[in-house]
Amino acid sequence: RVDTSQLLNSVSVTSSVSTRKRYVALVESVREHGGACHIFSSLHVSGEQLKQLSGIAAILRYPVPELDLGDESESESDDGSAEGFVE
């Protein structure tokens, strides 16, 4: 799922009506699913950096199944630190 979407303001106000509708639908979908949307000014440093990434970016969140490492997760190295520990 999309946790955070980031759009450049010039992307969201494009002259193409169909493109603008797609971006509006994207923002609405992200918000409906509990995500956040941030629009950056193309005149700000962060907007300039986002422009280098096509003007749109997203932070994705998805569940990762826990790994069963068996006995390896409890082993210790020679210096006493745990190896194979998964957070």
Side-chain angles (χ1 to χ4, degrees):
R1 91 176 168 89
V2 176
D3 184 60
T4 306
S5 67
Q6 302 168 344
L7 295 168
L8 193 60
N9 66 340
S10 60
V11 170
S12 62
V13 293
T14 182
S15 60
S16 168
V17 175
S18 63
T19 302
R20 203 171 29 223
K21 285 182 179 181
R22 286 189 307 177
Y23 286 124
V24 168
L26 172 71
V27 169
E28 289 174 354
S29 176
V30 169
R31 289 181 177 160
E32 285 174 6
H33 291 93
C37 296
H38 302 284
I39 298 178
F40 293 88
S41 169
S42 57
L43 301 176
H44 191 270
V45 151
S46 58
E48 291 174 359
Q49 293 174 343
L50 185 57
K51 185 177 182 179
Q52 294 174 0
L53 298 171
S54 77
I56 185 169
I59 299 173
L60 306 177
R61 300 279 184 208
Y62 53 93
V64 177
E66 291 187 33
L67 301 175
D68 182 18
L69 298 176
D71 294 327
E72 292 178 355
S73 64
E74 297 175 354
S75 68
E76 290 186 4
S77 65
D78 293 335
D79 64 357
S81 62
E83 291 180 3
F85 182 78
V86 177
E87 287 188 28

